[in-house]
C-alpha cells in the first residue's frame, strides 16, 4: 500500500523534524505531515529589507548539547556562530533605567539594582532550610533569596523565558535543577560560588560567548532539515484526526488517509488533543489542561547614531512590578553579525504573557506606540525607526503552572494505555528548542516497530 508507513509524524516544527531525522537514521519508512507550506513551526527566519527576523528562537545556549549535536548531525556544523563578546551583559530594568546583572560578588555589591537590605538577605541563603517538595517559583524565591531579589530579578528572568506568572509557575517543572541543587548541595549560592564555577572554568574558551546561532538564522536549521528529507515530507497537509485499526492507526488529512503502525504527534498540546479527541477523549482532556501564553514580538531598527545606548548586551528584562508595557527586549544587532544593515541598531521586543495579555488586544499601531513609549527613554532613542515588524503568536509558549507535574504523570499513564501514540513537544520536558529535540530523540529511541 502506498500510504502505509512504519511511522506518521504529525507536525513539522523542530520536534517533528527531529523525530524524522532520528527515525530515518534507523531506516524506518516514515512520513511527516505539516499543515503549513513550510516546516519549522516557531523555528523560522525571514529576511525583510536586509533585516534578519526570527519568528521564535534567536539563539541557543552553548551548553545545549542536544541542539548542538543535532545541528552537527544534519550537516550544519560550519554554519554555527557564537554571540559577539560585547553582547555578554544582561540588563534588568528597575526604577526607570536598566542595570547590568552583576556577574561576580564585587559587581554585585557595587550594583544599584538591589537595596542594601536585599543584598544582605541574599547572603543568608546558605542558612535557609530545605522547602516543601512542591512550591511555586515565587515561594521558592522568597524563601531562598528574599522578596526583593525574587520580585526584581527572578520574576524578570522568568518573564524572559516563558512570560508566566511566578506565583503560578511550578519550580519543579520549570527549574528542576534548582530544586536538585537545594536538595543535594543545600545552598544555591554556595553551589554557584564553589561548584558551578569549576565547571565554567573547564569549558571556558577565554571569550564570554554563551549563545550560539546559525549564520543565516535559527530558521536555517528547519529549512535545511526540510530540504534534506523533502521526499518524506508532505506540506499543506492538515491532520484532522486519527483512529485505531487492528494493525495500527489511520491518520485522516485533507489529502487523504495515511496508515501507520505508530503515530508521533509533534504539535502543541491542544493541537494534539484535537487530533485524538474522538478516539481517546480521556487522553485529549489531559492535553487540553496545559495552558499557553499568547505573545507578540516587535522587531525595530534605527540608524546607529539615533540610539545612544551602546546596546552592549544580550538585552534587558523587566519584572511585573515595573510599570512597563513590554516584558523586555533583545539587542538583536549586538548579539550576532549580519542581522541588520551595518549602519543600524536592531532590537526585538517581547510583549504579552498571562499578566500583560490585555495589551495584545490593541491594534498594531497602538502596540508599536506603547513599545516606543517604553523603549525611547530606556535606550535613549531619538528619531524615527527605519524598520518595524510586529508579529502576534497565539498559544506561543506552554506554561508549567502548579499541577504540571501531575499532568505529565497522567500523560505517561495514557502512553502506556494507548500504545503506538507518542507525544513530542516543548510542553513535556522544557520549553526550549533543546528540550524539544531531546524529547524527539528519546521518542525515536522508543519506537522499535
Ligand atoms: C517568541 C518565542 C521565542 C522563543 N525563543 C526561544 C529561544 O531563544 N531559545 C529556545 O530554545 N526556545 C525558544 N522558544 C521556544 C521554541 O521556539 C520551541 O520550544 C520550539 O520551537 C517548539 O517546537 P515544536 O516542534 O515542539 O513546536 P512548533 O514549532 O509549534 O511546531 C509544531 C508544528 O506542528 C504543525 N501542526 C500543528 N497542528 C497540525 C496538524 N493538525 N496537522 C499538521 N501539522 C500541524 C504546526 O504548523 C507546526 O509547524 C521561543 C518561542 C517563542 C514563541
Amino acid at each position: 500500500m502506498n500510504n502505509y508507513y512504519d511511522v506518521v509524524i504529525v507536525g513539522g516544527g523542530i520536534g517533528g523534524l527531529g523525530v524524522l531525522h532520528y527515525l530515518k537514521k534507523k531506516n524506518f519508512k516514515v512520513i511527516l505531515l505539516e499543515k503549513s507550506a513550510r516546516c519549522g513551526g516557531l523555528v523560522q527566519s525571514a529576511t525583510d529589507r536586509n533585516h534578519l527576523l526570527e519568528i521564535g528562537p534567536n539563539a541557543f545556549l552553548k551548553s545545549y548539547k542536544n541542539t548542538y549535536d543535532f545541528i552537527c548531525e544534519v550537516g550544519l556544523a560550519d554554519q554555527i556562530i557564537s554571540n559577539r563578546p560585547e553582547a555578554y551583559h544582561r540588563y534588568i530594568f528597575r526604577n526607570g533605567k536598566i542595570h547590568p546583572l552583576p556577574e561576580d560578588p564585587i559587581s554585585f555589591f557595587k550594583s544599584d539594582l538591589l537595596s542594601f537590605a536585599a543584598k544582605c538577605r541574599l547572603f543568608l541563603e546558605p542558612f535557609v532550610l530545605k522547602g516543601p517538595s512542591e512550591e511555586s517559583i515565587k515561594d521558592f524565591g522568597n524563601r531562598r533569596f528574599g522578596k526583593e531579589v525574587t520580585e526584581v530579578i527572578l520574576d524578570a528572568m522568568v518573564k524572559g523565558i516563558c512570560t508566566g506568572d511566578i506565583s503560578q509557575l511550578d519550580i519543579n517543572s520549570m527549574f528542576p535543577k534548582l530544586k536538585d541543587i537545594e536538595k543535594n548541595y543545600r545552598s544555591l549560592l554556595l553551589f554557584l560560588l564553589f561548584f558551578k564555577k569549576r565547571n565554567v572554568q573547564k569549558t571556558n574558551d577565554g571569550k564570554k560567548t554563551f549563545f550560539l546561532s546559525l549564520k543565516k538564522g535559527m530558521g536555517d536549521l528547519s529549512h535545511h532539515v526540510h530540504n534534506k528529507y523533502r521526499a518524506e515530507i508532505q506540506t499543506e497537509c492538515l491532520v484532522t484526526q486519527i483512529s485505531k485499526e487492528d494493525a495500527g492507526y489511520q491518520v485522516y488529512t485533507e489529502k487523504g488517509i495515511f496508515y501507520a503502525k505508530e503515530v508521533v504527534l509533534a504539535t502543541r498540546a491542544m493541537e494534539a488533543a484535537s487530533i485524538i479527541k474522538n478516539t481517546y477523549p480521556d487522553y485529549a482532556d489531559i492535553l487540553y489542561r496545559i495552558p499557553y501564553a499568547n505573545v507578540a514580538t516587535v522587531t525595530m531598527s534605527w540608524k546607529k547614531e539615533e540610539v545612544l545606548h551602546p546596546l552592549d548586551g544580550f538585552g534587558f528584562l523587566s519584572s511585573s512590578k515595573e510599570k512597563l508595557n513590554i516584558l523586555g527586549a533583545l539587542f538583536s544587532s549586538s548579539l550576532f553579525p549580519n542581522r541588520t544593515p551595518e549602519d543600524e541598531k536592531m532590537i526585538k521586543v517581547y510583549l504579552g504573557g498571562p499578566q500583560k495579555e490585555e495589551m495584545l488586544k490593541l491594534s498594531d499601531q497602538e502596540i508599536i506606540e506603547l513599545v516606543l513609549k517604553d523603549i525611547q527613554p530606556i535606550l535613549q532613542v531619538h528619531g524615527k525607526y527605519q524598520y518595524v515588524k510586529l508579529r502576534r503568536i497565539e498559544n506561543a509558549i506552554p506554561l508549567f503552572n502548579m499541577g504540571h507535574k501531575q499532568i505529565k504523570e497522567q500523560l505517561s499513564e495514557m502512553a502506556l494505555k494507548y500504545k503506538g501514540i507518542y507525544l513530542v513537544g516543548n510542553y513535556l520536558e522544557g520549553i526550549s528548542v533543546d528540550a524539544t529535540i531531546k524529547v524527539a530523540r528519546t521518542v525515536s529511541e522508543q519506537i522499535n516497530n
Side-chain angles (χ1 to χ4, degrees):
M1 234 187 311
N2 250 353
N3 272 0
Y4 195 92
Y5 296 89
D6 294 327
V7 181
V8 166
I9 303 163
V10 183
I14 204 63
L17 291 171
V19 177
L20 177 60
H21 168 72
Y22 293 120
L23 289 183
K24 282 297 290 173
K25 273 177 69 180
K26 288 167 76 173
N27 290 322
F28 276 68
K29 187 178 179 208
V30 53
I31 185 122
L32 183 151
L33 309 174
E34 163 57 44
K35 69 176 177 185
S36 57
R38 288 172 65 175
C39 281
L42 291 165
V43 184
Q44 293 197 49
S45 312
T47 304
D48 186 16
R49 289 168 34 215
N50 291 329
H51 300 86
L52 197 148
L53 309 174
E54 302 278 20
I55 292 183
N58 283 62
F60 61 98
L61 281 169
K62 231 176 181 178
S63 56
Y64 278 3
K65 203 169 163 357
N66 302 293
T67 312
Y68 189 89
D69 290 350
F70 181 60
I71 290 173
C72 294
E73 269 192 36
V74 299
L76 282 177
D78 62 342
Q79 295 298 304
I80 295 175
I81 49 172
S82 295
N83 69 268
R84 288 173 159 153
E86 61 266 33
Y88 175 70
H89 297 293
R90 290 156 180 246
Y91 288 93
I92 301 280
F93 177 83
R94 190 178 195 198
N95 297 334
K97 62 175 190 158
I98 54 174
H99 308 254
L101 194 62
E103 287 152 25
D104 52 58
I106 295 170
S107 61
F108 175 77
F109 270 112
K110 283 187 179 166
S111 163
D112 53 0
L113 175 62
L114 296 168
S115 69
F116 181 69
K119 290 175 187 174
C120 295
R121 168 62 182 84
L122 189 61
F123 279 90
L124 293 178
E125 194 270 345
F127 304 102
V128 174
L129 298 178
K130 285 177 195 168
S133 58
E134 305 217 356
E135 60 186 330
S136 69
I137 294 181
K138 185 175 180 177
D139 289 343
F140 177 86
N142 281 344
R143 189 169 56 73
R144 293 225 66 92
F145 313 125
K147 196 163 175 274
E148 192 176 323
V149 170
T150 303
E151 279 178 358
V152 175
I153 300 181
L154 192 57
D155 181 89
M157 294 186 85
V158 170
K159 289 275 173 306
I161 297 171
C162 74
T163 78
D165 176 350
I166 56 168
S167 67
Q168 303 291 319
L169 290 164
D170 171 25
I171 184 80
N172 285 303
S173 304
M174 277 298 290
F175 303 122
K177 276 189 192 150
L178 293 190
K179 267 303 225 192
D180 280 352
I181 294 170
E182 180 182 54
K183 198 169 140 208
N184 299 324
Y185 296 85
R186 187 184 164 124
S187 160
L188 282 95
L189 205 59
L190 295 181
F191 175 83
L192 268 178
L193 288 174
F194 299 110
F195 298 98
K196 176 82 174 153
K197 208 171 172 192
R198 278 208 293 272
N199 283 341
V200 171
Q201 277 171 350
K202 257 188 219 164
T203 55
N204 197 347
D205 55 6
K207 285 185 191 164
K208 290 174 172 178
T209 54
F210 273 80
F211 297 97
L212 301 175
S213 185
L214 298 173
K215 285 178 191 160
K216 294 182 199 158
M218 288 298 292
D220 197 29
L221 176 58
S222 320
H223 181 69
H224 181 82
V225 181
H226 186 159
N227 283 342
K228 187 177 168 86
Y229 298 115
R230 189 164 282 281
E232 282 82 21
I233 294 174
Q234 283 244 2
T235 50
E236 298 181 270
C237 188
L238 175 82
V239 174
T240 50
Q241 64 167 316
I242 59 168
S243 69
K244 180 86 181 98
E245 59 162 36
D246 288 345
Y249 291 91
Q250 292 185 323
V251 180
Y252 295 83
T253 79
E254 289 173 326
K255 292 187 173 170
I257 302 173
F258 293 77
Y259 302 88
K261 289 184 207 156
E262 292 173 295
V263 176
V264 177
L265 299 173
T267 64
R268 287 174 286 191
M270 83 298 286
E271 292 166 330
S274 158
I275 292 167
I276 58 172
K277 68 175 187 285
N278 293 334
T279 315
Y280 302 132
D282 49 348
Y283 206 163
D285 283 348
I286 301 166
L287 286 163
Y288 277 128
R289 285 188 4 233
I290 299 173
Y292 276 71
N294 298 322
V295 303
T297 62
V298 181
T299 303
M300 307 185 91
S301 77
W302 293 265
K303 288 284 177 205
K304 268 184 176 165
E305 60 276 13
E306 288 176 343
V307 182
L308 297 187
H309 193 282
L311 305 191
D312 54 345
F314 182 79
F316 75 87
L317 292 165
S318 170
S319 74
S320 38
K321 287 275 167 211
E322 297 294 333
K323 298 272 174 277
L324 288 186
N325 302 298
I326 65 174
L327 302 171
L330 198 79
F331 300 159
S332 325
S333 54
S334 304
L335 198 49
F336 298 110
N338 303 324
R339 267 37 187 171
T340 193
E342 267 307 302
D343 61 343
E344 289 181 19
K345 285 182 178 173
M346 184 164 82
I347 62 169
K348 182 177 174 187
V349 175
Y350 294 83
L351 300 108
Q355 289 167 295
K356 294 195 173 169
E357 208 162 285
E358 284 298 301
M359 210 89 62
L360 304 182
K361 292 188 182 142
L362 300 173
S363 71
D364 287 7
Q365 197 48 44
E366 285 168 326
I367 291 180
I368 290 166
E369 274 161 27
L370 286 180
V371 168
L372 283 171
K373 195 170 150 239
D374 283 351
I375 286 295
Q376 279 168 337
I378 298 172
L379 301 180
Q380 300 153 65
V381 177
H382 307 277
K384 172 102 177 132
Y385 50 81
Q386 297 292 312
Y387 180 84
V388 65
K389 181 86 183 179
L390 183 145
R391 198 182 292 275
R392 296 165 193 268
I393 312 176
E394 267 183 44
N395 296 318
I397 303 172
L399 297 170
F400 294 1
N401 285 345
M402 296 299 290
H404 189 77
K405 198 171 142 223
Q406 288 72 19
I407 290 179
K408 269 180 55 188
E409 284 163 7
Q410 289 166 15
L411 289 177
S412 301
E413 284 166 22
M414 289 292 140
L416 291 175
K417 187 171 168 191
Y418 302 122
K419 290 201 184 330
I421 301 283
Y422 297 87
L423 300 175
V424 167
N426 64 350
Y427 58 91
L428 296 162
E429 296 302 323
I431 62 171
S432 68
V433 167
D434 198 68
T436 310
I437 293 175
K438 186 176 176 197
V439 174
R441 204 191 53 229
T442 308
V443 161
S444 310
E445 283 163 5
Q446 287 164 1
I447 297 176
N448 279 313
N449 63 43

